[in-house]
Amino acid sequence: MRRIVCQEFGPPDRLKLDESPDPRPAAGEVLVRVHAAGVSFVDGLIAGGMYQLKPPLPFTPGLVGAGEVLAAGPGVPGLAAGRRVVGSSFGMGGYSSHWVLPADAVVPLPDAVTYEVAATAVESYATMLFALTRRTAVQPGEWVLVLGAGGGIGLAAVDVARTLGARVIAAASTPAKRAAALAAGAQVAIDYETEDLKTRVREITGAGAALIIDPVGDPFAEPALRSLQAFGRYLVVGFTGGSIPRLPLNRVLLDNRSIVGVDWGAWSRQDPAANQALIADVLGRVAAGELHPVAPVTYPLERAAEALNGLARRQIAGKLALLP
Ligand SMILES: NC(=O)c1ccc[n+]([C@@H]2O[C@H](COP(=O)([O-])OP(=O)(O)OC[C@H]3O[C@@H](n4cnc5c(N)ncnc54)[C@H](OP(=O)(O)O)[C@@H]3O)[C@@H](O)[C@H]2O)c1
């Protein structure tokens, strides 16, 4: 098999392409021939040793991959060779032509969903469906402000919020990212590098945003918090801006606002069965045309570092996949 290996924590350029014998599944595991592996910001954080989970070295990055089952170990009913599946595991290994995973980390893939879309939609859409149905409940007609709206989490947030009936304001730094967010269903787009978030959100909504989805943090977190309406909720999703915001809690007390943490990864590890059901729900909604993840830009496996650098340098609108 061919795979990307992280031998030491550091920037993506230190990742190596490796060839080794194909693995075999043990009891309770499946071997998947990976056709597409999702590339996400988290993969770069993990390879850089900057994520809350530090896997033992060496390891193969890649939280999500889609492909066909080649073989199943003993005790794995219902996942015969040839079955199209998507796998997701914080044990990682997706940047690989052949991937052995626990059977409970694999979900059958509807025929209508391509490997590329599945590999790149699962992480961001599962996070957003988890956030908007289990960490808070978005109400039809509510104004939702999405930061980093042209990125992976951002575009999924726009799409899921719209599908659940909300109105979306997309904030992003480039015309391409704002155009992608508008195409995903946002009503309005703000250039948060040059426009004042609080002023613009108040102009658009009157009372303020009912909900903020924040995968970015500084320097936009405090102006976003100040744009929140009474009883509004602020969902903390990530910190691509680099530093962890320190927010004035009087702005939470005033007007009965709430700050809500979202950690899909922790929940998925605590309750794998519920996570499998959530991913199946995402894929079913994509197959039914209710959710609309964009097709990713694709790279060959050996260009994994280039793909990760594009995300880290803030250059990508939408999603990226590796084709092992
Ligand atoms: N909490 C959870 O359960 C969960 C699950 C999945 C991912 N996440 C986290 O969510 C965050 C976003 O992930 P993603 O997949 O959406 O990433 P992404 O596709 O790279 O998008 C992130 C966006 O952040 C913005 N950004 C602002 N400052 C940046 C900087 N200095 N460097 C890079 N990007 C910057 C960029 O938009 P602009 O250029 O428009 O500002 C970029 O498009 C990550 O921190 C990830 O770890 C959390």
Side-chain angles (χ1 to χ4, degrees):
M1 69 170 173
R2 299 170 74 239
R3 61 179 175 161
I4 296 293
V5 176
C6 177
Q7 290 165 333
E8 53 180 332
F9 294 117
D13 299 320
R14 293 194 194 161
L15 295 172
K16 302 263 188 286
L17 183 68
D18 170 89
E19 298 214 11
S20 54
D22 293 352
R24 290 169 182 273
E29 293 181 336
V30 287
L31 170 62
V32 176
R33 170 82 177 92
V34 179
H35 289 275
V39 179
S40 75
F41 196 90
V42 180
D43 300 337
L45 292 179
I46 294 171
M50 295 177 287
Y51 192 66
Q52 52 261 38
L53 285 181
K54 280 200 177 62
L57 295 165
F59 69 95
T60 292
L63 296 176
V64 184
E68 68 196 282
V69 173
L70 288 182
V76 181
L79 285 173
R83 190 80 189 259
R84 300 173 79 249
V85 293
V86 61
S88 63
S89 170
F90 278 84
M92 278 157 286
Y95 290 12
S96 186
S97 62
H98 294 68
W99 191 12
V100 171
L101 298 115
D104 69 1
V106 165
V107 174
L109 189 58
D111 289 343
V113 185
T114 66
Y115 292 129
E116 288 85 353
V117 165
T120 47
V122 160
E123 179 213 15
S124 51
Y125 274 78
T127 300
M128 276 305 117
L129 201 56
F130 172 69
L132 295 179
T133 60
R134 288 155 170 87
R135 297 299 291 125
T136 190
V138 64
Q139 303 301 322
E142 282 190 321
W143 277 110
V144 176
L145 169 63
V146 178
L147 308 186
I153 286 283
L155 288 174
V158 173
D159 192 15
V160 173
R162 273 304 304 270
T163 296
L164 297 175
R167 293 177 288 179
V168 178
I169 303 169
S173 68
T174 67
K177 289 180 181 180
R178 293 192 292 278
L182 289 168
Q187 265 84 3
V188 195
I190 299 176
D191 178 355
Y192 58 4
E193 291 287 4
T194 60
E195 299 181 82
D196 181 68
L197 262 184
K198 181 184 165 194
T199 308
R200 286 290 288 126
V201 169
R202 294 276 171 168
E203 278 169 9
I204 294 161
T205 61
L211 191 64
I212 290 165
I213 299 172
D214 181 8
V216 180
D218 280 338
F220 310 116
E222 186 169 340
L225 177 62
R226 287 172 184 268
S227 78
L228 208 54
Q229 71 178 41
F231 291 90
R233 296 91 79 204
Y234 186 118
L235 299 192
V236 181
V237 182
F239 311 108
T240 55
S243 58
I244 297 178
R246 302 172 76 85
L247 294 171
L249 286 181
N250 63 316
R251 292 286 151 197
V252 182
L253 178 154
L254 294 170
D255 276 336
N256 299 291
R257 294 157 170 159
S258 304
I259 295 183
V260 180
V262 176
D263 191 347
W264 166 68
W267 174 79
S268 73
R269 293 188 294 277
Q270 286 153 9
D271 197 343
N275 185 50
Q276 260 189 320
L278 178 76
I279 291 172
D281 186 15
V282 166
L283 296 171
R285 289 176 190 245
V286 174
E290 286 172 33
L291 292 174
H292 320 88
V294 291
V297 174
T298 58
Y299 290 74
L301 186 64
E302 51 271 26
R303 286 170 60 194
E306 190 183 328
L308 287 167
N309 279 329
L311 289 177
R313 292 171 189 157
R314 218 172 159 181
Q315 293 162 338
I316 309 297
K319 294 293 294 186
L320 303 177
L322 300 174
L323 304 183

